Amino acid sequence: MARTPLLAGLLVGLVLLSGCADDPEPKFEDWEPSATASSEPAPEPSMPASSTPTPAQNLSPRSLVDAWLTAWTHALRSGDVDDVRVLSSPDCVSCSRLTTKVEALYAKGGRLDTEGWAPTRVARAPGSRDETPTFVMQVRQARQTLYGADGNIVEVTPAATVPMRMTLVAAGEGWILGTLEILE
Amino acid sequence: MTLALVTVALLLSFSAADEPGPVTADDGAFNVEIQHTDLGQVSGSTDESGDAGPIRDSGLDAICVATAMTLGEDIYSFCDIPPDEVVALTPDMVAVAFARIAPPPPTLQIQPPNGRTLVNLDTNFYAETGELDRVLTLLGQRVELHIVAATFTWRFGDGDSLTTDQPGSPYPNLEVTHRYLAKGHVTPSVDTTYTAQFRVSGGPWRAVPGSVTVTGAPVGLEVLTATPTLVGYDRR
């Protein structure tokens, strides 16, 4: 249940951010992970409860990319993978593996300290189709500290930048993540 | 009593099976869970747009370059990795770079020269290769590549071929020769397979996985017959 306010706040924020639709070329500025998303109380949703959006409702394909990575960052920092699942297709194998892994980590009593993952230079991939929008991006993975159940550091992973491709699929009136790939 | 001990043991074993194991470094390795897609030679995707030129030796992260080219983005503005960011450089990454800076094809030399030879004559072949060492900057690190021509596959144009580990040499050191058995026009060529070693920031040399084969351009060659002709006679 705790995920609902977070997701709603996230979606509201992204909808507001994506409201400036006059610009045909989105500005792909470096996007800082939402450190406040999990370290501060989630904002109250500003829309009526009756219109609580489904995951992909009102989100443009581009906004879904941000939403998914924000949800994943929240999952890394908390072990709560509900939002990632809501924003992912059941057919997204990579998504399932990621959520399973982070759940298993927190079930063992471990935890992660990280600013999470953030997209940079997101661009629509050539050949992307309107029914399955595809984006290619560099994902900046912040430095990550892995703690064991005893509170001791197990491993520190330095920051990295990984080229990724996200392919979205339609869900209701919006979008969810259908495929997540690392490009090599 | 024995039955009670067995029951307790079974309960303990079931209990142990439910306990999650300790947290290990693998628990934090998330990229391995994501599907990896090899872009391979990205020229195919860029060819479709019609604006693809040869892949440049950009000195940038080759994976990033592949991504940028897939996007049709300028690679220099796309792949500026922040200098304070540490990214592990793996042999596989170097192999991608190696494949994208394929050495120039060797020049095939044939003797006798001038595009003509004779039937049943040992025709000499050798290949001249260019500069084979490269220095790149990948992920902000200086990478030296020492590229070696490992094998040469000679196609003589009459159906015969030969693979050697030497490039041949000019006359009179006949190392790679071929006898044509019939006259006619043939187009011999040589394909060269390169392997490489690399080192990062002056460290130890390591092998680059895989090899790169460069196909040589065919060279026209007329195979002629010769008839002995008396051109002079001294009656003394």
Side-chain angles (χ1 to χ4, degrees):
Chain A
M1 293 302 289
R3 70 173 175 79
T4 304
L6 172 67
L7 181 60
L10 168 70
L11 294 175
V12 169
L14 287 169
V15 168
L16 290 173
L17 285 173
S18 61
C20 305
D22 293 341
D23 186 353
E25 285 295 321
K27 305 300 183 189
F28 302 132
E29 296 176 353
D30 283 1
W31 179 86
E32 291 302 322
S34 177
T36 58
S38 57
S39 60
E40 294 179 1
E44 289 298 321
S46 59
M47 61 183 67
S50 60
S51 64
T52 300
T54 55
Q57 195 173 27
N58 295 329
L59 282 184
S60 67
R62 175 64 184 83
S63 298
L64 189 276
V65 171
D66 287 340
W68 193 93
L69 286 167
T70 301
W72 172 242
T73 293
H74 172 67
L76 286 173
R77 295 163 59 94
S78 67
D80 174 12
V81 299
D82 288 350
D83 292 347
V84 177
R85 287 212 171 97
V86 167
L87 296 173
S88 304
S89 163
D91 296 330
C92 177
V93 176
S94 299
C95 308
S96 302
R97 288 175 177 169
L98 288 173
T99 52
T100 300
K101 188 152 190 163
V102 81
E103 273 187 323
L105 165 63
Y106 278 86
K108 290 179 179 180
R111 68 178 179 88
L112 290 164
D113 182 15
T114 178
E115 293 295 308
W117 294 14
T120 63
R121 299 190 176 85
V122 182
R124 193 85 170 236
S128 172
R129 296 181 300 168
D130 288 344
E131 59 270 30
T132 54
T134 302
F135 293 89
V136 183
M137 70 207 73
Q138 300 283 5
V139 174
R140 294 192 63 184
Q141 300 174 345
R143 172 188 166 100
Q144 171 182 290
T145 304
L146 172 64
Y147 293 91
D150 55 4
N152 291 326
I153 293 176
V154 175
E155 188 174 63
V156 177
T157 306
T161 299
V162 179
M164 289 189 181
R165 178 163 57 196
M166 289 187 179
T167 302
L168 314 185
V169 294
E173 297 179 6
W175 304 95
I176 55 177
L177 182 58
T179 308
L180 175 65
E181 304 160 272
I182 290 177
L183 300 178
E184 296 183 321
Chain B
M1 182 63 179
T2 304
L3 180 61
L5 285 174
V6 169
T7 304
V8 169
L10 283 173
L11 288 173
L12 285 174
S13 67
F14 281 126
S15 172
D18 291 339
E19 288 292 327
V23 175
T24 66
D26 179 61
D27 290 314
F30 294 103
N31 283 338
V32 297
E33 305 300 331
I34 300 175
Q35 175 185 341
H36 289 233
T37 299
D38 185 1
L39 289 175
Q41 296 291 334
V42 297
S43 57
S45 59
T46 51
D47 282 344
E48 292 172 4
S49 64
D51 58 357
I55 297 175
R56 291 180 290 173
D57 174 9
S58 63
L60 300 173
D61 174 4
I63 294 175
C64 179
V65 170
T67 305
M69 295 194 69
T70 301
L71 289 168
E73 298 278 346
D74 179 78
I75 57 176
Y76 289 94
S77 59
F78 191 83
C79 299
D80 55 340
I81 302 292
D84 58 343
E85 199 159 288
V86 179
V87 182
L89 186 61
T90 68
D92 286 340
M93 290 181 181
V94 178
V96 173
F98 176 38
R100 282 166 170 72
I101 57 163
T107 302
L108 176 61
Q109 301 290 349
I110 304 173
Q111 294 173 318
N114 302 321
R116 295 189 302 175
T117 189
L118 293 174
V119 169
N120 293 324
L121 178 73
D122 279 336
T123 303
N124 185 42
F125 294 85
Y126 63 96
E128 293 177 335
T129 56
E131 173 62 44
L132 296 177
D133 288 339
R134 296 284 188 278
V135 178
L136 306 174
T137 301
L138 295 176
L139 305 181
Q141 300 167 77
R142 176 186 166 88
V143 179
E144 294 175 74
L145 274 177
H146 179 56
I147 304 172
V148 177
T151 61
F152 300 83
T153 300
W154 310 86
R155 306 183 195 284
F156 298 111
D158 61 352
D160 283 359
S161 63
L162 174 69
T163 298
T164 67
D165 58 2
Q166 295 296 322
S169 58
Y171 180 87
N173 298 320
L174 303 179
E175 296 178 356
V176 179
T177 63
H178 181 68
R179 286 191 177 193
Y180 292 97
L181 302 180
K183 67 176 183 179
H185 180 79
V186 294
T187 52
S189 63
V190 60
D191 298 342
T192 308
T193 298
Y194 294 92
T195 59
Q197 292 183 307
F198 77 101
R199 66 177 180 179
V200 180
S201 302
W205 289 99
R206 301 167 66 187
V208 178
S211 61
V212 173
T213 297
V214 178
T215 302
V219 175
L221 179 65
E222 294 295 332
V223 182
L224 308 173
T225 55
T227 303
T229 302
L230 183 62
V231 295
Y233 183 67
D234 186 351
R235 298 184 64 180
R236 285 177 299 176

